[in-house]
Amino acid sequence: MSEQKWTTEELGAIQEDILAALETVIDPELGIDIVNLGLIYEVNLAENGYCEVKMTLTTMGCPLADVITEEIHQALRDIEEVKEVEVKLVWYPAWTTDRMSRYARISLGIR
């Protein structure tokens, strides 16, 4: 059995860094970051630096999927522990405005 590369605390800090970086990725149509919009469903980081981001989009036929995916890759590039990024689009559970943060709701005038 091999030793874990990071302690639980270190992994938590890295995941916070990843989420903070993802908050810099703005949905071009709504002008709000993808984390506060609730588009990020899951982020996993393996010990080899492979980072898997499971996310959805507000609509299935979103023409900006490639733009957002590329911006995710760029945002995570500066995190030393992340060596490879894969963005997986998932459609279940379907995104609804209930997934949005309070900040996003206020910004978009949604109650």
Side-chain angles (χ1 to χ4, degrees):
M1 192 166 131
S2 65
E3 262 184 53
Q4 284 191 315
K5 187 172 184 174
W6 302 300
T7 66
T8 303
E9 293 79 19
E10 288 170 333
L11 186 57
I14 296 166
Q15 290 198 317
E16 284 180 26
D17 290 346
I18 291 170
L19 285 176
L22 291 175
E23 284 183 342
T24 68
V25 178
I26 306 299
D27 180 297
E29 291 181 313
L30 299 175
I32 306 287
D33 70 86
I34 60 176
V35 174
N36 279 292
L37 283 174
L39 299 179
I40 301 298
Y41 283 7
E42 191 177 323
V43 176
N44 297 302
L45 180 64
E47 290 188 12
N48 65 358
Y50 170 78
C51 182
E52 177 186 73
V53 179
K54 291 184 181 177
M55 67 168 295
T56 194
L57 298 168
T58 54
T59 59
M60 232 179 189
C62 178
L64 299 169
D66 291 341
V67 171
I68 293 171
T69 299
E70 179 56 32
E71 288 186 18
I72 289 171
H73 283 269
Q74 288 181 15
L76 298 182
R77 185 178 303 148
D78 293 335
I79 298 176
E80 182 182 332
E81 296 85 358
V82 174
K83 306 298 182 205
E84 179 184 356
V85 176
E86 182 175 4
V87 178
K88 291 188 174 180
L89 291 178
V90 294
W91 303 107
Y92 183 82
W95 180 85
T96 67
T97 56
D98 294 340
R99 295 191 54 88
M100 294 169 64
S101 71
R102 184 171 182 271
Y103 161 77
R105 291 170 168 282
I106 290 169
S107 296
L108 295 174
I110 298 172
R111 293 182 182 235

